Amino acid sequence: MNLDFKLLKWQQIVFKDQSRFKVIAAGRRCGKSRLSAVTLLIEGLNCPEGSSVMYVAPTLGQARTIMWDLLMDLGKPVIKSAHINNLEITLVNGKKILIRGADNQDSLRGVSLSYLVMDEVAFIKSEIWERVLRAALSDKKGRAMFISTPSGRNHFYEWFQLGQSGEDADWKSWHFTTADNETIDPKEIEAAKRTLSSFAFGQEYLSSFNNAGAGLFKEEWIKFGDEPDIGSWYIAVDLAGFEDVAKSANATKKRLDQSAIAVVKVTDDGTWFVDKIEAGRWDIQTTALNILKNIREYEPLAVGIERGALKNAVLPYLSDLMRKNNCYAHILDLTHGNKKKVDRIVWALQGRFEHGRVILNAEEDFEEFVDQLLMFPTAQVHDDLPDALSYIDQLAVTSYSIDNDEDDWQALDVVSGY
Ligand SMILES: Nc1ncnc2c1ncn2[C@@H]1O[C@H](COP(=O)(O)OP(=O)(O)O)[C@@H](O)[C@H]1O
Ligand SMILES: [Mg+2]
């Protein structure tokens, strides 16, 4: 047998790794499809009785153009027969490589797989994995490789993060750029850099996940500074919801919503000095305690808490703490004011940031806040911190309360979360 399975350095690193689920973010022309093909052939040759290996691309057309010739080419010595009309390849050991498109869900069902490759998986709906393919791996304890150029911070980013976090021993992830393919002339990459927008180059060649923000907030608007002498303190509290927990009952652990406490000094000319935004997954008591600590430290003119079931849950604890510590604050309802969250955050923050009316405390770490702000609004990127800050808008300007009976906000299930 003369198998040309020479692998590039990065491909070897991934190939040799024993993790059950591998996630690879890699640039265009990095060698993703080539690694997929080699993996499919080797896994097919080692495939246990009664199962197959499968390759899935976003569409059947793509699967055919990317994989068919490549497999025929690389696998010639080990292919017994191949049927282009059903895109199935039978290897010399009688095992099959199935080539499929995620655009035809029915074609993915009813098979037992020992190995699955999902190519350009950032462009395949996550439910194809979660609802359809994961089950196909269960009876043979099959393994899988998820490989793609990034497409913003969607499910692929989440899986990538899971692999980075080490939280789940089954998952491991890697990041490579087009330059990691030694066979590509660096001049070609330089040429692409000159002609593509920095967004496109970052995503396609550097396989960066940091390119999805709609640009509603710009990096150059972020200013740091010192606390102004004169002004009044306000505290806005955004309590974490728990909807996400129920939704993420699958292999991937979504990062959970956080509760956030924004502490801001507002000057006479309306500039906000953001002293800090505290955030965390706190239980009710801890939340109440954290609010109290800030009340004691800052003596704010008002504390706003987002109206709803969570506020109702926290308030008795907070009242109790205020009484015991003889430390009181004016607690106001914060409301969504009939605005969608995106609009609310943009209305409250965009103009202020753009005109330099928001100063972040130079002595605090705002990395996560800035990240959330620049990525806003992007599905799968949290916005708890900008959300909490945006509520200061309601505290610092209104002396009346907005009456919004038509609030489209849904009550959260407090009990399930704690
Ligand atoms: N192990 C390898 N040996 C030789 N050439 C390779 C290897 N891996 C990738 N290449 C070449 O690099 C180019 C891009 O590979 P491909 O797998 O299509 O990348 P991607 O799927 O990441 O866009 C192709 O011309 C391919 O032949
Ligand atoms: Mg490819």
Side-chain angles (χ1 to χ4, degrees), residues 36-317:
S36 303
V38 170
T39 303
L40 288 162
L41 287 164
I42 305 255
E43 292 294 339
L45 291 170
N46 293 318
C47 186
E49 225 31 72
S51 72
S52 309
V53 301
M54 184 187 274
Y55 171 84
V56 181
T59 66
L60 186 63
Q62 276 172 300
R64 189 188 297 120
T65 28
I66 299 172
M67 222 7 91
W68 186 261
D69 289 345
L70 198 51
L71 283 175
M72 295 309 265
D73 204 25
L74 290 173
K76 198 173 282 158
V78 294
I79 291 173
K80 189 159 78 186
S81 61
H83 297 279
I84 185 111
N85 37 359
N86 63 2
L87 291 176
E88 295 187 4
I89 292 173
T90 306
L91 299 175
V92 287
N93 62 349
K95 303 302 182 317
K96 283 190 168 119
I97 300 177
L98 314 174
I99 295 169
R100 298 286 186 263
D103 52 349
N104 184 355
Q105 279 200 36
D106 291 337
S107 74
L108 307 175
R109 294 179 198 277
V111 286
S112 164
L113 299 177
S114 64
Y115 208 91
L116 167 69
V117 172
M118 294 184 78
D119 197 3
E120 294 302 350
V121 68
F123 304 90
I124 298 176
K125 279 189 279 186
S126 60
E127 64 197 53
I128 298 283
W129 160 245
E130 285 156 3
R131 303 230 178 108
V132 184
L133 288 170
R134 197 175 202 298
L137 300 182
S138 344
D139 63 324
K140 294 285 188 244
K141 278 210 173 359
R143 290 166 299 127
M145 182 161 89
F146 307 94
I147 192 160
S148 194
T149 43
S151 176
R153 296 200 185 173
N154 61 6
H155 56 281
F156 181 57
Y157 176 70
E158 243 174 69
W159 302 347
F160 178 82
Q161 289 294 87
L162 183 63
Q164 294 287 298
S165 71
E167 263 170 50
D168 187 329
D170 277 347
W171 292 76
K172 185 157 175 183
S173 62
W174 295 263
H175 173 260
F176 300 102
T177 74
T178 303
D180 286 310
N181 182 341
E182 304 90 281
T183 70
I184 301 240
D185 186 350
K187 283 198 203 102
E188 225 183 285
I189 301 174
E190 274 309 307
K193 192 173 180 176
R194 281 195 302 274
T195 52
L196 292 174
S197 70
S198 62
F199 170 90
F201 185 78
Q203 183 155 289
E204 303 299 325
Y205 285 79
L206 305 178
S207 65
S208 163
F209 288 102
N210 290 324
N211 285 278
L216 291 177
F217 293 92
K218 300 204 185 337
E219 202 162 359
E220 59 265 27
W221 298 348
I222 310 292
K223 289 205 174 70
F224 290 87
D226 300 325
E227 184 187 330
D229 294 333
I230 300 173
S232 313
W233 288 104
Y234 293 92
I235 295 178
V237 183
D238 180 30
L239 298 168
F242 299 100
E243 327 94 311
D244 277 358
V245 182
K247 274 192 215 142
S248 68
N250 55 48
T252 71
K253 291 188 200 106
K254 285 206 170 73
R255 237 187 63 225
L256 300 169
D257 272 358
Q258 296 185 318
S259 291
I261 302 177
V263 180
V264 177
K265 191 175 200 175
V266 180
T267 65
D268 282 348
D269 70 354
T271 299
W272 293 6
F273 171 75
V274 187
D275 198 57
K276 64 177 179 185
I277 305 175
E278 272 177 19
R281 288 287 299 172
W282 305 315
D283 60 24
I284 297 184
Q285 282 99 326
T286 311
T287 306
L289 191 62
N290 288 343
I291 297 171
L292 181 88
K293 281 183 191 155
N294 284 302
I295 291 174
R296 195 155 49 191
E297 187 181 340
Y298 293 90
E299 299 176 355
L301 273 192
V303 176
I305 305 179
E306 189 183 46
R307 187 171 90 175
L310 291 167
K311 181 191 175 209
N312 298 343
V314 167
L315 215 51
Y317 291 96

